[in-house]
Amino acid sequence: MTQSPLYSRIIGTGSAVPPDCVTNQELAGRLAARGIETSDEWIATRTGIRQRYFAAPEAMTSDLALTASKNALRAADIDLQSIDLIIIATSTPDFVLPSTACALQRKLGLRNHCIAFDLQAACTGFVYALTIADQFIRARACQTALVVGAEIFSRLLDFNDRSTCVLFGDGAGAVVLQASEQAGVISSALHADGRHTDILCAPGRVSGGAICGQAFVTMDGQAVFKLAVHLLEKVALEALDKARMSAAQIDWLIPHQANIRIMQGTCRKLGLPLERMLVTVDQHGNTSSASIPLALDEAVRDGRIARGHTIMIEGVGGGLTWGAAVIRF
Ligand code: UT7
């Protein structure tokens, strides 16, 4: 007997940001005290960022993931113990080991021995994590997955480097994904090219009880910018092709929120009106793997995204990694 096709569907979304909201002006003031010159005008015009949130020194990535997950679980209205897979996309885990996903499992009070692991694909992490959870569900290896993007990216920032420290912020977003006969994740496309390692990296490592190398993030912004616009268009078209859909059928484009100019460029290349793109980079800055689920949750909660809408998520990040997915909400 043939089994009916199975999909994974998003049944709840949630997000969290830490309490400390830092405006461009405030950040410019803090940097001026270090002799570093920047301005609200430079940051806002070059990136679209107006503010970001920074976590307190004692906060953990799993704490932000926990709040976002609780919100997503409340929206999904399911029994916590039915979660049988946790994936956290993060470049800023609590520890080298164990995984942040195991910390989240403990903090949630999940005692069902479900699968839990972290995934490192930088700013494309959430697209990777969602795709992998979808594959677990389609393979009937799991029923209900908690997929999280969570970062305390401020820990990687060198506040003497104005070309990076004004760009990033902290936050988390989560979705509950469940097996369904109704369409959910329709298609996805994932890629990586390790030849571009050097243009966006934090090449520190722990050795002999100390951090060796450069633990702060460094970026050749222009090189990433050029690749990003090209790769995001290509991967979006690939995901659409796999879904047998055209860009005109997309209700909402949710790009990784790094730079408004990159986002608008991709949107235009796809022939989509800018009104169909979700923008939260102004509020959160670049929160790496958290940016897509943060934007998704905001639009679900304020009612812009409704059941039946077709969404495209897409991202590019260190590695380089890039990917896109088409989702029926
Ligand atoms: O999340 C992963 C994906 N990441 C991205 O997609 C980021 C991609 N790259 C970008 O978003 C942009 O390249 C940046 C926002 C990082 C930089 O914007 P840009 O228009 O490429 O600026 P630039 O690096 O060419 O710098 C222009 C000028 C330079 O001064 P000179 O050499 O022209 O005199 C910089 O020194 O702006 C200067 N500058 C700043 N000035 C004030 C760099 N950072 C700052 C700053 N404040 N914070």
Side-chain angles (χ1 to χ4, degrees):
M1 207 177 79
T2 51
Q3 285 179 312
S4 55
L6 190 68
Y7 294 96
S8 71
R9 250 182 110 223
I10 295 174
I11 58 162
T13 67
S15 62
V17 287
D20 186 19
C21 178
V22 181
T23 63
N24 287 348
Q25 210 150 16
E26 216 174 318
L27 184 59
R30 289 186 197 180
L31 296 183
R34 293 167 173 257
I36 312 277
E37 199 188 316
T38 189
S39 64
D40 172 43
E41 204 264 330
W42 190 95
I43 303 168
T45 31
R46 300 276 176 148
T47 70
I49 298 167
R50 300 205 166 270
Q51 59 176 44
R52 77 285 294 138
Y53 294 83
F54 287 148
E58 66 281 5
M60 297 287 223
T61 296
S62 58
D63 296 328
L64 290 176
L66 177 66
T67 308
S69 300
K70 281 183 171 171
N71 291 336
L73 287 160
R74 205 172 298 121
D77 194 21
I78 52 156
D79 173 19
L80 170 68
Q81 303 299 329
S82 67
I83 298 284
D84 49 12
L85 169 67
I86 299 175
I87 309 178
I88 298 192
T90 185
S91 299
T92 50
D94 288 3
F95 304 116
V96 173
L97 68 99
S99 72
T100 309
C102 284
L104 176 64
Q105 186 194 42
R106 176 174 54 79
K107 289 179 181 180
L108 279 170
L110 250 171
R111 295 176 301 277
N112 62 359
H113 300 174
C114 74
I115 306 167
F117 63 92
D118 289 5
L119 185 149
Q120 218 292 34
C123 301
T124 322
F126 185 77
V127 187
Y128 266 66
L130 191 85
T131 302
I132 290 165
D134 173 60
Q135 301 286 333
F136 263 95
I137 289 174
R138 278 176 197 252
R140 297 173 201 266
C142 289
Q143 279 274 323
T144 310
L146 180 59
V147 184
V148 187
E151 304 282 4
I152 301 191
F153 216 89
S154 56
R155 303 263 160 88
L156 300 182
L157 297 178
D158 177 358
F159 286 94
N160 292 311
D161 175 9
R162 69 177 181 174
S163 70
T164 52
C165 73
V166 301
L167 305 176
F168 295 91
D170 305 334
V175 301
V176 179
L177 207 60
Q178 194 167 59
S180 168
E181 284 174 9
Q182 275 176 286
V185 178
I186 299 171
S187 72
S188 69
L190 301 177
H191 294 284
D193 186 345
R195 288 175 304 170
H196 300 298
T197 297
D198 293 348
I199 62 173
L200 176 47
C201 56
R205 62 194 186 281
V206 177
S207 178
I211 293 170
C212 303
Q214 160 73 276
F216 291 127
V217 74
T218 62
M219 177 165 71
D220 177 345
Q222 287 196 358
V224 176
F225 195 112
K226 279 184 204 138
L227 281 165
V229 177
H230 166 66
L231 294 173
L232 287 173
E233 183 199 7
K234 219 171 137 195
V235 80
L237 292 175
E238 186 185 347
L240 282 170
D241 189 52
K242 283 187 178 179
R244 296 173 198 277
M245 291 172 81
S246 68
Q249 289 170 274
I250 299 296
D251 295 301
W252 294 105
L253 176 66
I254 314 183
H256 166 50
Q257 311 277 318
N259 186 315
I260 192 73
R261 292 184 291 143
I262 297 176
M263 293 160 60
Q264 288 174 342
T266 321
C267 195
R268 280 197 202 98
K269 279 181 172 227
L270 290 174
L272 283 175
L274 293 180
E275 303 76 58
R276 275 203 245 161
M277 178 173 73
L278 294 183
V279 178
T280 52
V281 68
D282 53 335
Q283 301 167 55
H284 302 143
N286 181 346
T287 56
S288 190
S289 69
S291 87
I292 292 171
L294 262 168
L296 169 68
D297 182 52
E298 184 176 295
V300 168
R301 280 173 196 273
D302 69 22
R304 273 175 297 167
I305 292 183
R307 283 284 162 216
H309 280 178
T310 303
I311 300 164
M312 169 171 286
I313 61 171
E314 56 163 18
V316 60
L320 277 186
T321 55
W322 64 100
V326 178
I327 303 161
R328 176 81 30 78
F329 188 71

